[in-house]
């Protein structure tokens, strides 16, 4: 067990930071927003990230991966957070890639993983149906027919779901009401449509509508009615990467806020000399430190294949979420009036944090999940 | 767990000093692997032959052996273990043999400690003199002082207590007013010390006293050692909200202290106090290793007291308790991370600065949740209706208040983080709050 990044991880993070500040700084995200870019990310930058090898980090060499583990992925996501850099890394590589790796047949893994790693195809994961994330509440059904399945229903909050090359749709089938079947639905399939959502963070998110979509059994990912464990595993990979992204965002926000406290003068003194503000800043330092420990433990648990990996992931998403609420709110408040202007990047970070918080389970969801997992 | 017996005053500058790394210069000749293995084997055999099996368990608080003139043993094994370690010089394994120590090098001590941990040997005795004053005496004491004061420590004959805090010198420790006036061949000490752990059971005290009332407050302080049985010394135990405590107030009424009991330079006590508190820190970590933590596991207790099926109120309580347990998990992981980062040679001062604050604040919240969940069962003060555990939880809740105050209050900890870790500016001199 190790709660620190290795020398190699740190070197990866350093090079990622250099690349992102140069090629994908916050200013670029602001421009994407102002242009109302429907894709929500820059394909050229995404291609460069792939060339740097980031999309291969968690995968086995046989698929063109680097076998650098979740910790390697976490190190990159922290940096993506610092520059608010959008890409299909979470949706197509971490979520869809992990799910195909965990649930797919040998052929499906062979067919799809190299395409995802090389960025030839972009897949999105469609799970949520209600306003809040809860994969246990699936009602979209796949009815068995003579030649295959008929799917009807709606999915919401599909990350990078707009203009994707396909979607992995979680559905109920007759095989087992309690379990999950996973369908790989290619773009262009008759009866599938998306609605691009415009969320506060301007990223690519879509709702997915399936109207009598007919698929034969070859579109099933793995066995019917056997997808639950693989889905949870893939979601956990996504959750820990979101936690890493949020940690990166919050460390950046905190550094910016400290700079402001050290330089802003009111009442003829620097406001950072006021004890009331010092104590609030000190608590943020505490929260960031605690959150980082849970993040490292979750990354490590996944890499070790630890039995309690799911509980560790929930602990991290919960703790990082708690911390992020506090850091985000305080960053705005301690900046005062300038903190609520669009001129500063603070607001961009705050908005992204809010979306990341709601994605794949918020703090309340993961508290309940942790309690449940701890009782098992 | 911050042990109650090792509470130091709350001064901010001193709390900051705790962050200074204790000098870890390797002492003695470096050992090669063969030397190490041979020494390890030797130590292991000796410990296995001499540490009674009954003492290879964690130490409950009421079974700690405190060295001193009135040392008491509950079992014959405790006496044997005490005497064997004493005769080996291993109460103070790294001190020079001429003062009664074991004369071991730092590497040898590390091996000895590792073997003691491996066998889970209890400490043969606990003594503040050895842990805190001794190292300062070795570094700053005169030869005469070392010869006079150290050997009785190494034999476990003297129990020491610490005289730092005063009624008007808590968080602002340098504000002490106990005076030591020059009276020719001795000092005349008048004043009072408070929060002295085991003041009523100790033989000697090391104390900060004011030797120059004109100088700026940090510069008129000296470190004295004095006999608690001397005429003019009186001790009153302090009763806390949790009941009986180990804390005492000590009064000095014209106590004559010989001049040779001044440690270090006259008016140079402040920097020695900082040194002492650095040793307190490493002592505390050892103490935590050995003692049986008075720890109540939250979630099992919550399951025990919240009836199934949960009402909405039970569900809300359960969520609060889960949040506490998760915060505690985050803290434990942070302790572990700090250890790993330290081993990797990274700067851990930013993490070290949060530990006491986080742990003590979490404990207080935890007991609040526990009390809520247990209802009237957690409110029992005495009587047979309540189990020992229930009454202990009640007392532990009340005791949790002392933890966020003693040893540098939470507010002092936050000041230290703001100034030393985050580098936020000081308030301008003379600024009114």
């Amino acid at each position: 067990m190790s709660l620190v990044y290795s020398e190699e991880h740190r070197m990866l993070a350093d090079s990622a930071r250099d690349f992102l500040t140069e090629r994908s700084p916050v200013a670029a995200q602001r421009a994407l927003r102002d242009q109302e870019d429907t894709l929500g990310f820059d394909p050229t930058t995404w291609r460069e990230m792939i060339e740097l090898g980031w999309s291969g980090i968690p995968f086995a060499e046989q698929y063109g991966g680097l076998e650098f583990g979740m910790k390697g992925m976490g190190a990159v996501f922290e940096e993506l957070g610092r520059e608010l850099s959008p890409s299909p890394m979470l949706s197509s590589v971490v979520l869809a890639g992990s799910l195909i790796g965990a649930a797919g047949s040998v052929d499906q893994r062979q067919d799809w993983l190299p395409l995802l790693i090389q960025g030839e195809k972009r897949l999105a994961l469609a799970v949520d149906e209600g306003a809040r994330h809860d994969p246990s509440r699936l009602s979209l059904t796949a009815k068995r027919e003579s030649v295959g399945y008929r799917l009807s229903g709606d999915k919401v909050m599909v990350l990078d779901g707009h203009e994707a090359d396909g979607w992995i749709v979680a559905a109920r089938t007759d095989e087992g009401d309690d379990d999950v079947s996973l369908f790989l639905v290619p773009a262009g399939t008759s009866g599938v449509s998306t609605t691009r959502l415009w969320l506060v963070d301007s990223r690519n998110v879509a709702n997915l509508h399936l109207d009598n979509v007919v698929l034969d059994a070859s579109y099933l990912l793995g066995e019917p009615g056997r997808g639950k464990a693989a889905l949870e595993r893939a979601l956990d990979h996504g959750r820990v990467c979101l936690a890493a992204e949020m940690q990166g965002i919050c460390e950046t926000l905190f550094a910016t806020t400290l700079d402001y406290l050290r330089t802003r003068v009111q009442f003829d003194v620097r406001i950072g000399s006021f004890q009331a503000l010092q104590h609030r800043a000190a608590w943020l330092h505490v929260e960031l430190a605690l959150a980082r420990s849970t993040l490292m433990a979750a990354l490590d648990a996944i890499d070790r294949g630890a039995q309690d990996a799911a509980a560790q992931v929930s602990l991290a998403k919960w703790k990082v979420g708690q911390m992020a609420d506090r850091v985000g709110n305080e960053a705005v408040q301690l900046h005062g009036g300038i903190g609520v202007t669009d001129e500063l990047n603070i607001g961009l970070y705050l908005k992204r944090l809010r979306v990341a918080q709601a994605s794949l389970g918020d703090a309340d969801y993961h508290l309940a999940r942790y309690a449940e997992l701890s009782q098992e | 767990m911050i042990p109650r017996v090792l509470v130091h005053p709350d001064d901010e500058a001193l709390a900051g000093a705790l962050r200074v790394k204790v000098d870890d210069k390797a002492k003695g000749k470096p050992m090669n692997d063969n030397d190490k293995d041979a020494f390890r084997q030797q130590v292991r055999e000796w410990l296995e032959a001499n540490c009674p099996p009954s003492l290879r368990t964690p130490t409950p608080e009421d079974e700690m052996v405190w060295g001193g003139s009135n040392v008491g043993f509950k079992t014959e094994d405790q006496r044997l273990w005490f005497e064997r370690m004493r005769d080996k010089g291993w109460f103070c394994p790294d001190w020079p043999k001429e003062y009664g120590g074991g004369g071991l090098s730092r590497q040898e001590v590390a091996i000895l400690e590792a073997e003691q941990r491996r066998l889970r040997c209890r400490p043969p005795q606990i003594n503040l003199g050895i842990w805190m004053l001794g190292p300062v005496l070795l570094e700053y004491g005169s030869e005469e002082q070392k010869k006079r004061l150290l050997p009785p420590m190494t034999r476990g004959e003297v129990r020491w207590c610490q005289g730092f805090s005063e009624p008007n010198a808590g968080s602002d420790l340098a504000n002490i007013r106990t005076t030591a006036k020059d009276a020719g061949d001795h000092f005349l000490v008048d004043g009072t010390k408070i929060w002295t752990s085991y003041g009523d059971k100790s033989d000697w005290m090391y104390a900060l006293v004011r030797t120059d009332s004109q100088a700026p407050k940090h510069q008129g302080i000296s470190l004295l050692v004095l006999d608690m049985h001397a005429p003019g010394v009186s001790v009153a135990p302090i009763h806390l909200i949790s009941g009986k405590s180990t804390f005492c107030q000590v009064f000095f009424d014209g106590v004559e202290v010989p001049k040779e009991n001044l440690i270090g330079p006259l008016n140079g006590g402040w920097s020695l106090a900082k040194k002492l508190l650095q040793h307190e820190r490493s002592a505390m970590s050892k103490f935590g290793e050995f003692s049986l933590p008075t720890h109540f596991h939250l979630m099992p207790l919550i399951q025990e007291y919240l009836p199934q099926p949960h009402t909405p109120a039970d569900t809300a309580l359960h969520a609060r308790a889960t949040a506490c347990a998760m915060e505690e998990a985050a803290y434990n992981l942070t302790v572990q991370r700090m250890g790993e980062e330290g081993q990797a040679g990274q700067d851990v001062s930013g993490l070290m600065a949060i530990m006491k604050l986080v742990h003590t604040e979490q404990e207080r919240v935890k007991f609040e949740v526990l009390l809520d969940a247990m209802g009237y069962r957690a409110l029992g003060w005495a009587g047979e209706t309540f189990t020992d555990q229930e009454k202990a939880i009640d007392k532990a809740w009340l005791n949790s208040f002392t933890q966020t105050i003693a040893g540098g209050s939470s507010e002092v900890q936050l000041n230290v983080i703001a100034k030393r870790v985050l580098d936020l500016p000081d308030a301008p001199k003379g600024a009114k709050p």
Side-chain angles (χ1 to χ4, degrees), chain A residues 3 262 279 285 289 293 319, chain B residues 327 334 337 340 350 415 422:
Chain A
L3 303 181
R262 291 190 196 106
H279 283 193
H285 167 76
S293 307
K319 183 64 211 174
Chain B
E327 291 286 3
T334 306
R337 181 162 71 90
E340 289 182 25
N415 286 352
L422 305 181

Side-chain angles (χ1 to χ4, degrees), chain B residues 146-417:
Chain B
K146 291 186 209 175
K147 288 215 169 92
R148 176 159 54 93
L149 297 170
L150 294 177
M153 283 188 199
T154 64
R155 295 194 296 266
E157 292 167 359
V158 180
R159 182 161 176 179
W160 287 84
C161 62
Q162 173 170 287
F164 278 15
S165 293
E166 295 182 10
N168 287 305
S171 290
D172 183 11
L173 179 62
N175 202 36
I176 58 160
R177 291 176 190 173
T178 294
T179 54
K181 290 210 177 75
D182 193 327
D185 63 344
H186 62 267
F187 292 107
L188 213 51
V189 176
D190 285 282
T192 181
K193 291 288 172 186
I194 200 166
W195 307 120
T196 304
S197 296
Y198 299 106
D200 53 344
K201 296 191 168 71
S202 295
D203 302 308
W204 278 71
M205 171 189 273
Y206 54 91
L208 292 177
V209 292
R210 187 155 298 285
T211 38
D212 184 346
S213 51
Q214 306 303 314
K217 63 182 181 180
H218 291 85
Q219 289 161 31
I221 294 171
S222 300
L223 182 65
L224 282 187
V225 294
L226 58 92
D227 185 347
M228 291 293 281
H229 309 298
V233 178
S234 56
V235 182
I238 298 170
H239 287 266
L240 297 182
I241 52 177
S242 51
K244 268 194 181 168
S245 86
T246 61
F247 292 120
C248 295
Q249 185 164 5
V250 180
F251 300 91
F252 307 110
D253 182 12
V255 179
E256 292 184 17
V257 177
K259 281 271 175 75
E260 59 259 34
N261 286 3
L262 170 70
I263 310 295
L266 187 70
N267 299 323
W270 187 249
S271 51
L272 266 61
K274 288 190 192 181
K275 288 274 176 189
L276 272 163
L277 291 176
Q278 286 174 21
H279 294 297
E280 178 174 27
R281 195 191 70 197
S282 50
M284 283 203 305
S285 67
K286 267 186 208 167
F287 191 98
E289 230 166 64
F290 289 129
S291 67
L292 183 70
T294 50
H295 201 76
F296 299 101
H297 288 289
L298 182 61
M299 292 318 284
L301 283 164
I302 294 285
Q303 313 287 13
E304 190 182 329
Y305 283 91
L306 286 188
Q308 293 283 0
H310 287 175
T311 65
D314 294 337
T315 305
L317 252 168
H318 193 267
R320 277 173 63 206
T322 305
C324 278
M326 293 172 88
E327 291 286 3
E328 189 172 288
Y331 169 77
N332 289 334
L333 288 167
T334 306
V335 172
Q336 194 184 332
R337 181 162 71 90
M338 183 172 81
E340 289 182 25
E341 290 189 0
Q343 278 187 333
Q346 296 175 28
D347 177 11
V348 293
S349 55
L351 288 181
M352 201 177 286
I354 75 170
M355 291 301 174
K356 195 257 173 189
L357 170 72
V358 171
H359 181 70
T360 57
E361 291 286 332
Q362 282 186 358
E363 285 288 293
R364 226 177 46 191
V365 176
K366 180 169 106 177
F367 281 111
E368 280 164 10
V369 174
L370 202 45
L371 259 68
D372 287 344
M374 292 168 65
Y376 93 102
R377 301 297 309 178
L379 302 178
W381 182 262
E384 298 300 308
T385 312
F386 302 101
T387 67
D388 286 347
Q389 179 176 259
E390 286 169 338
K391 283 178 282 190
I393 285 170
D394 194 20
K395 305 286 190 305
W397 162 63
L398 289 162
N399 188 56
S400 71
F401 287 88
T402 67
Q403 304 300 316
T404 51
I405 297 166
S409 66
S410 291
E411 289 68 28
V412 166
Q413 305 296 328
L414 290 167
N415 286 352
V416 170
I417 294 168

Side-chain angles (χ1 to χ4, degrees), chain A residues 314-332:
Chain A
S314 276
L315 176 64
K317 186 74 166 53
W318 174 81
K319 183 64 211 174
V320 172
Q322 297 276 93
M323 173 279 285
D325 278 351
R326 192 160 178 174
V327 171
N329 295 353
E330 289 284 58
V332 176

Side-chain angles (χ1 to χ4, degrees), chain B residues 78-199:
Chain B
Q78 287 183 342
R79 174 194 299 280
L80 271 177
W81 180 227
F82 179 94
E83 288 174 356
R84 286 167 177 169
M85 284 291 273
R86 176 194 65 196
D87 296 344
K88 192 87 177 158
W90 282 358
F91 282 168
C92 314
D94 56 337
W95 292 10
K97 279 194 166 153
E98 55 181 312
Y99 307 124
L104 301 186
S105 72
R106 190 150 295 194
Q107 282 179 310
E108 287 169 331
V109 172
I111 290 171
L112 172 60
E113 286 178 349
E115 287 303 308
Q116 283 178 277
R117 270 197 298 273
R118 200 184 63 83
L119 261 188
R120 299 166 39 126
C121 308
R122 290 187 187 182
Q125 65 145 359
I126 289 167
N127 200 317
L128 286 196
I130 289 173
W131 282 348
M132 297 186 56
L133 180 63
V136 168
L137 271 178
L138 279 168
E139 199 172 345
Y140 299 96
S142 69
E143 195 50 41
E144 182 277 323
Q145 287 171 337
K146 291 186 209 175
K147 288 215 169 92
R148 176 159 54 93
L149 297 170
L150 294 177
M153 283 188 199
T154 64
R155 295 194 296 266
E157 292 167 359
V158 180
R159 182 161 176 179
W160 287 84
C161 62
Q162 173 170 287
F164 278 15
S165 293
E166 295 182 10
N168 287 305
S171 290
D172 183 11
L173 179 62
N175 202 36
I176 58 160
R177 291 176 190 173
T178 294
T179 54
K181 290 210 177 75
D182 193 327
D185 63 344
H186 62 267
F187 292 107
L188 213 51
V189 176
D190 285 282
T192 181
K193 291 288 172 186
I194 200 166
W195 307 120
T196 304
S197 296
Y198 299 106

